[in-house]
Amino acid sequence: MTLTSQDVIAVLGPVDETLVAEIVATGATPTELSEAWAWVNSDEALIGEGRHLPAGTVAALVDLLSADEEEWEE
């Protein structure tokens, strides 16, 4: 099942419509988005659990989410 705008907002909260569209365009599943969100917010904890670094769609989502965070920091 691919993501809808509502799925994205349910995981991330209120975000820019452009980011929502970019995330939906990846064809990701809600599970992949949740995993990417977890990596962006607690990568050290996930590495400590022995998880492999994100790859594929999850890695693409991490890049999108990380780019959005960098804009907030500026």
Side-chain angles (χ1 to χ4, degrees):
M1 179 173 117
T2 57
L3 289 169
T4 65
S5 298
Q6 291 82 9
D7 294 330
V8 175
I9 293 168
V11 173
L12 305 181
V15 292
D16 181 70
E17 290 179 24
T18 303
L19 178 60
V20 172
E22 290 173 342
I23 291 170
V24 170
T26 65
T29 65
T31 302
E32 289 170 325
L33 178 59
S34 295
E35 183 178 343
W37 185 243
W39 274 105
V40 168
N41 289 292
S42 59
D43 61 344
E44 290 178 25
L46 294 173
I47 290 170
E49 291 178 5
R51 293 200 186 191
H52 295 285
L53 294 175
T57 304
V58 175
L61 291 168
V62 167
D63 288 343
L64 284 172
L65 296 171
S66 296
D68 188 56
E69 282 192 352
E70 290 170 9
E71 290 177 13
W72 281 96
E73 291 175 4
E74 292 177 356

